[in-house]
């Protein structure tokens, strides 16, 4: 009789976080309202192209959320949004006039003129 051993390979995260985005998550968590357990990325339906990126504090994890541990705190991806985001990179960009998260999403087939929403 032979025993078979099943090896479970770690699955890569749906979204790659750059060091700048991890640093921003750490800053957000250092200033988080009481009860916040992390920061969550979702893709609600809005804008002229259909989907938008939304980053908010979260007070509890939903059962199907993907959880990524960063040096500064937990980062969640909405379970219903994962399919739209697989392979994406999230960066934090600041210049003299604006600052914000920037997404490089290989699943996005188009975006609106203002850049606020995208379609897959």
């Amino acid at each position: 009789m032979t025993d078979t051993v099943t090896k479970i390979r770690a699955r890569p995260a749906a979204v790659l976080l750059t060091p700048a985005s991890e640093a921003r998550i750490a800053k957000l968590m250092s200033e988080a309202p009481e009860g916040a357990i992390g920061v969550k990325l979702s893709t609600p339906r809005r804008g002229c192209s259909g989907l938008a990126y939304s980053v908010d504090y979260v007070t509890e994890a939903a059962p199907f959320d993907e959880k990524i541990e960063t040096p500064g705190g937990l980062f969640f991806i909405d379970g219903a949004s994962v399919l739209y985001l697989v392979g994406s990179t999230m960066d934090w960009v600041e210049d003299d006039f604006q600052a914000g998260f920037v997404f490089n999403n290989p699943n996005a087939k188009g975006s609106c003129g203002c850049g606020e929403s995208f379609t897959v």
Side-chain angles (χ1 to χ4, degrees):
M1 174 187 229
T2 60
D3 291 328
T4 58
V5 177
T6 303
K7 293 183 181 181
I8 298 175
R9 183 171 46 111
R11 180 180 66 169
V15 175
L16 174 67
L17 302 174
T18 65
S21 64
E22 286 184 346
R24 182 60 183 175
I25 291 167
K27 181 167 177 31
L28 288 169
M29 289 309 297
S30 72
E31 301 168 353
E34 188 173 331
I37 62 165
V39 176
K40 184 174 182 174
L41 171 62
S42 61
T43 56
R45 295 196 177 282
R46 75 170 173 242
C48 48
S49 287
L51 298 170
Y53 300 105
S54 180
V55 180
D56 300 292
Y57 291 110
V58 64
T59 56
E60 62 183 55
F64 295 104
D65 286 352
E66 181 161 326
K67 180 172 75 172
I68 301 172
E69 294 185 29
T70 73
L74 294 177
F75 179 74
F76 295 90
I77 302 171
D78 175 64
S81 300
V82 169
L83 289 177
Y84 305 128
L85 298 168
V86 170
S88 296
T89 300
M90 182 172 126
D91 195 9
W92 175 259
V93 177
E94 286 185 52
D95 64 25
D96 291 340
F97 302 103
Q98 63 184 3
F101 288 110
V102 176
F103 298 88
N104 179 0
N105 185 344
N107 305 299
K109 301 299 182 218
S111 63
C112 65
C114 64
E116 291 295 318
S117 62
F118 69 100
T119 185
V120 290

